[in-house]
Amino acid sequence: YPFGNKEHIAHDFYFVKCNPGHTVRLQKSNFPPEPGLIRGHQKDRGTVYSVLCHHTGHGKIPGKSDGKMAWYSYGGKEHQTRDFSYIVIQPPRTPYFPQPQPHYPPQPHYPPQPQYPPQPQYPPQPPAYYPPSQQPPSYPGYPGGYAPSPAGPAPPQGLAHGMKVRFRCTKTNKNMRLTNANMVDGHGGNGKFATFVVHVIGPGQYCFQNAVGGWLALKGSRATGTTVYRDPDTIFLLHLNPGDGSVSLECQSCPGWFLAVKRDGSTKVIWAERKPSTKFFPQVVQ
């Protein structure tokens, strides 16, 4: 890999593997980056992207880019070019097949309906979110202190913007934490690494920032942390599990992949199926 005007060799690396139905394509550098890019992090530049450099004189060579310039290594040196393409992993798309519209005969004409008096006004419904001081009563087996809602990617009652929560792991019975080294595991206590501030990005879309400023993220096949605000990999969809009152976190940039904590406390991602390791019990911190 290229760095500091030199070519370096590393034995600790990952292959990029697509899930069934996903496709890999090239996107020219004159278009802005989009979700699905393969990202890395460089201490002196921040986020970098995996690219393919064209017309280098040495062939098409993989490299890295900061969005403006690309670098690749060849012959023991680091080279740069502006002629490159992003490597983009695109999820499967559902094909659209238009259905023929049925033909209905003309409807008969009915006399006008009678006018009825106005209906009585009912008191307003409770809000979708509750501040910590107005939590609904607790339910058995649901330590978060709020009632379960129907299953699906909808925000659970009780998780409001700015609220502090901890996520107790089903397998380790301890809290999930994000350390200073951007490591995520299930051995957290009640400290600053395991306490997250809720950020509501959109309907059912959440980001979680711990008390030291790190953002929980899913990058590739591992859970990690980042300091980049609104990084697409930090946005999660919350799914409620009414059977036990737990929640599951689905990565928005990789639809269908859920964050999981194994019995030894390490993390992984699981496709589609919500196994016990993907379930967390949110606890509101007053």
Side-chain angles (χ1 to χ4, degrees), residues 24-284:
V24 179
R25 63 182 179 86
L26 298 178
Q27 177 177 296
K28 287 296 292 181
S29 59
N30 54 343
F31 292 95
E34 62 179 41
L37 296 180
I38 305 172
R39 294 177 173 85
H41 182 80
Q42 192 167 300
K43 292 183 178 180
D44 63 337
R45 292 185 180 276
T47 301
V48 292
Y49 307 98
S50 293
V51 299
L52 187 66
C53 300
H54 302 285
H55 307 105
T56 63
H58 312 296
K60 292 184 178 180
I61 300 180
K64 63 183 181 182
S65 172
D66 61 357
K68 299 178 181 178
M69 180 69 69
W71 294 268
Y72 65 94
S73 58
Y74 186 86
K77 298 180 179 180
E78 180 182 46
H79 305 268
Q80 65 182 24
T81 180
R82 294 185 183 275
D83 186 6
F84 64 91
S85 295
Y86 297 103
I87 300 175
V88 181
I89 298 178
Q90 187 171 359
R93 298 182 181 274
T94 303
Y96 172 73
F97 300 100
Q99 299 295 327
Q101 297 298 321
H103 174 71
Y104 298 99
Q107 298 298 314
H109 294 281
Y110 296 98
Q113 297 296 320
Q115 298 294 324
Y116 296 98
Q119 297 298 313
Q121 298 293 323
Y122 296 97
Q125 297 297 317
Y129 303 102
Y130 293 89
S133 60
Q134 301 179 13
Q135 293 292 324
S138 296
Y139 285 72
Y142 203 68
Y146 45 81
S149 298
Q157 295 181 3
L159 257 62
H161 185 82
M163 182 177 291
K164 294 182 179 180
V165 295
R166 300 188 185 104
F167 293 100
R168 182 164 60 84
C169 306
T170 305
K171 289 293 187 179
T172 64
N173 203 28
K174 295 182 179 180
N175 293 325
M176 179 172 59
R177 67 179 176 182
L178 171 60
T179 67
N180 272 338
N182 288 333
M183 300 293 293
V184 180
D185 60 40
H187 295 303
N190 296 326
K192 57 186 179 180
F193 297 112
T195 303
F196 295 88
V197 178
V198 178
H199 292 258
V200 180
I201 305 301
Q205 299 174 330
Y206 288 78
C207 291
F208 301 100
Q209 184 183 30
N210 67 8
V212 295
W215 297 86
L216 183 64
L218 273 184
K219 291 186 177 292
S221 61
R222 65 189 185 96
T224 183
T226 180
T227 57
V228 179
Y229 176 63
R230 290 211 175 189
D231 185 330
D233 295 330
T234 65
I235 302 177
F236 292 87
L237 302 178
L238 263 67
H239 294 258
L240 287 174
N241 304 305
D244 55 6
S246 63
V247 298
S248 297
L249 304 180
E250 178 187 3
C251 182
Q252 178 177 267
S253 62
C254 297
W257 289 96
F258 288 83
L259 172 62
V261 175
K262 298 188 290 187
R263 191 178 301 276
D264 61 1
S266 61
T267 59
K268 64 177 181 179
V269 293
I270 293 181
W271 169 252
E273 184 179 0
R274 291 187 226 168
K275 296 183 178 180
S277 58
T278 68
K279 297 181 178 181
F280 304 90
F281 292 97
Q283 299 171 319
V284 178

